[in-house]
Amino acid sequence: MARIIAGVGSSHVPAIGAAMDNGKTDEPYWQPLFAGFEPAREWIDDVKPDVVILIYNDHASAFDLDIIPTFAIGVAPEFPPADEGYGPRKIPMIKGHPDLAWHLTESLIDDEFDMTICNKMPVDHGCSVPLSIMFGQPDEWPVTVIPIAVNVIQFPPPSGKRCYDLGRAIRRAVESYDEDLKVAVFGTGGMSHQLQGQRAGWTNPDFDKKFLDLLGPQPEELLSISPTEYIREAGSEGIELVMWFIMRGALDPEVREVHRHYHVPASNSAVGLIAYENSDR
């Protein structure tokens, strides 16, 4: 039987990928950020998941304002890096797990989550940067990946509770899959940041640190944060944090925090990374 063993919450700032791709990680601006990723990489190398279910939001790479699925799942055997205007990142092809992805799709739809099914889906920095944060720059990724894209671009986004419930449904789906697989769930996006308007560059470390403090032991206290409150407290792009609840919902009620890293700023954003293990890892 497949089982979920671990979860990761991670920012997906595109400049992090660019810093890695262009050999800038040891520069004074970037070094403190990347130093905080190393313990998480050592941990995931020890955990060795077979599959990562990676929750992210598309940034007009696979979708645009013509088609805006609330939840979209990739069932393809491969997901190429998207061209986001400066050419696709030169990273390994992201390999999918079609059998488990189709099983998830059927189970989630039976569980009343109406997933959009994607047989082709280029993936942008929202998906690729968390892989780079956790696995560095390998010749090929050590895991297969099932990408799930969430609409946090166009109002209305799904609520925190809806995302948490989707995580719980993902757990039920994984645990009903016969193959013996170790599965990790990555929830990505955030933390506080705003990319435009009078508050461009806004970050809120107090909000972010409270979010990190509560996410593991008391996630229910965060689920009622409204889109308006995210904008006010975490900036116009802070709503991305609802995707972390999908990861948290897929884990045990009680989890063990194994790593936390928080850094401000990185490309005008607050960056967070947190990793959890289930008790039966």
Side-chain angles (χ1 to χ4, degrees):
M1 184 183 78
R3 58 195 174 98
I4 293 175
I5 60 168
V8 172
S10 172
S11 300
H12 59 220
V13 178
I16 293 174
M20 295 180 69
D21 298 344
N22 293 287
K24 297 181 178 294
T25 58
D26 290 329
E27 293 185 356
Y29 179 83
W30 291 107
Q31 195 279 333
L33 174 68
F34 282 94
F37 296 159
E38 285 303 324
R41 289 175 180 169
E42 293 172 4
W43 165 76
I44 201 90
D45 184 58
D46 179 55
V47 170
K48 288 185 171 38
D50 301 299
V51 184
V52 167
I53 299 172
L54 200 150
I55 317 299
Y56 75 110
N57 62 290
D58 177 77
H59 302 77
S61 298
F63 311 109
D64 58 25
L65 292 180
D66 290 338
I67 301 174
I68 309 170
T70 298
F71 299 118
I73 184 168
V75 298
E78 294 183 338
F79 302 96
D83 184 349
E84 299 183 65
Y86 39 83
R89 291 186 65 201
K90 293 180 173 56
I91 56 175
M93 178 66 75
I94 296 169
K95 304 287 188 181
H97 195 303
D99 287 345
L100 178 56
W102 276 108
H103 174 81
L104 284 173
T105 301
E106 182 175 344
S107 179
L108 293 174
I109 291 174
D110 283 348
D111 221 347
E112 302 183 350
F113 286 91
D114 300 323
M115 310 298 290
T116 297
I117 301 167
C118 300
N119 289 298
K120 293 175 64 177
M121 188 162 70
V123 292
D124 61 25
H125 68 273
C127 183
S128 68
V129 165
L131 291 174
S132 297
I133 288 173
M134 293 304 296
F135 298 111
Q137 295 173 293
D139 293 332
E140 62 180 55
W141 301 113
V143 293
T144 53
V145 176
I146 299 174
I148 295 179
V150 179
N151 168 42
V152 291
I153 299 291
Q154 172 65 54
F155 188 86
S159 68
K161 183 180 183 303
R162 183 66 171 161
C163 289
Y164 188 77
D165 289 345
L166 175 58
R168 297 173 71 179
I170 288 173
R171 179 182 180 129
R172 290 191 289 271
V174 168
E175 291 181 344
S176 64
Y177 188 69
D178 287 337
E179 187 178 351
D180 185 18
L181 293 173
K182 295 192 294 184
V183 179
V185 181
F186 290 7
T188 80
M191 302 195 79
S192 61
H193 63 300
Q194 177 153 339
L195 303 180
Q196 65 281 307
Q198 294 183 349
R199 293 204 310 168
W202 165 265
T203 60
N204 187 344
D206 290 340
F207 175 89
D208 292 336
K209 290 176 181 176
K210 182 179 179 181
F211 188 94
L212 292 171
D213 287 343
L214 292 174
L215 182 65
Q218 299 166 281
E220 295 83 0
E221 293 196 17
L222 300 169
L223 300 182
S224 62
I225 299 174
S226 69
T228 301
E229 188 174 357
Y230 276 113
I231 292 171
R232 183 176 62 244
E233 299 294 334
S236 55
E237 279 71 38
I239 187 67
E240 291 178 350
L241 284 168
V242 297
M243 296 185 288
W244 294 35
F245 295 131
I246 300 175
M247 173 275 292
R248 184 64 189 87
L251 301 179
D252 288 348
E254 294 185 8
V255 292
R256 186 166 74 91
E257 182 181 322
V258 295
H259 179 66
R260 182 191 299 201
H261 178 46
Y262 182 76
H263 180 85
V264 180
S267 187
N268 291 329
S269 297
V271 173
L273 176 65
I274 198 163
Y276 301 109
E277 286 183 356
N278 274 340
S279 55
D280 62 345
R281 177 205 136 190

